Amino acid sequence: MLKSILSILLLFSVSVISCQEKKDQFPDNALGIYKGDLIIMSTKGKQTIPMEFHLQKTDSVHKFKYVLVYNGSPRNYTLIEKNKEKGIFEVDENNGIVLPTKYVDNILYSFFEVQGNFLSSRLHFKKDTLNFEILFTKTKNKVTSGGLSKEIPTVYGYPISTVQKAILKKQK
């Protein structure tokens, strides 16, 4: 009986360790080429364009090719692994612009401001798909509420004007 319980516990421990190792393998476990359609919803209406995402190894240990392709036009970036254990990465646009990113639970997040605009990106890696999303708002459209007392602080909201979403399928 004790041997059976120990065997079950050992098997369970190996399963948990195996799952943790797979989870911690980013970006290696997400390498590939993903394709699909990007849907852009804005105040101007809805638009659909072909999109690809490429994540591939390079000759450098902590650098990966990170390519976004919109309507056949590639944007070549580099994903840099800064601290894998803490999920800290950077997307280098290879032009002096480097965006901090955070990897948590199979999702790569980024949040930045450029030319008076806030952008938030979210890349959710699943087994054979990538859910891609970018939210966009102008900082000048800030809405203020609250601020009525010390207990109710001033809150600034930013109405989202554009949402870009795609479900990209990993190519075999």
Side-chain angles (χ1 to χ4, degrees), residues 39-45 111 117-121 133-143 156-165:
I39 299 169
I40 303 167
M41 294 161 280
S42 71
T43 54
K44 297 176 185 175
F111 184 70
N117 302 299
F118 280 135
L119 288 96
S120 169
S121 72
E133 178 181 90
I134 293 179
L135 304 177
F136 173 91
T137 186
K138 292 186 176 295
T139 57
K140 71 179 184 180
N141 293 340
K142 174 171 63 175
V143 176
Y156 304 105
Y158 297 88
I160 296 167
S161 59
T162 304
V163 175
Q164 298 181 10
K165 293 178 79 165

Side-chain angles (χ1 to χ4, degrees), residues 62-79:
H62 300 291
K63 293 184 178 183
F64 299 82
K65 288 181 184 178
Y66 181 107
V67 181
L68 293 170
V69 181
Y70 299 107
N71 239 355
S73 299
R75 295 184 184 177
N76 297 299
Y77 306 130
T78 304
L79 180 68

Side-chain angles (χ1 to χ4, degrees), residues 3 6 9 17 57-58 72 87 95 113 120 129 136 160 168:
K3 281 186 179 184
L6 289 175
L9 285 175
I17 290 168
K57 287 186 177 189
T58 66
N95 62 1
E113 178 183 354
S120 169
T129 59
F136 173 91
I160 296 167
L168 307 174

Side-chain angles (χ1 to χ4, degrees), residues 12-26 29 84 103 106:
F12 178 74
S13 297
V14 169
S15 299
V16 168
I17 290 168
S18 175
C19 287
Q20 287 174 339
E21 285 174 358
K22 284 181 183 176
K23 182 180 174 187
D24 294 337
Q25 290 178 353
F26 182 83
N29 64 351
K84 190 174 184 173
Y103 180 78
N106 297 321

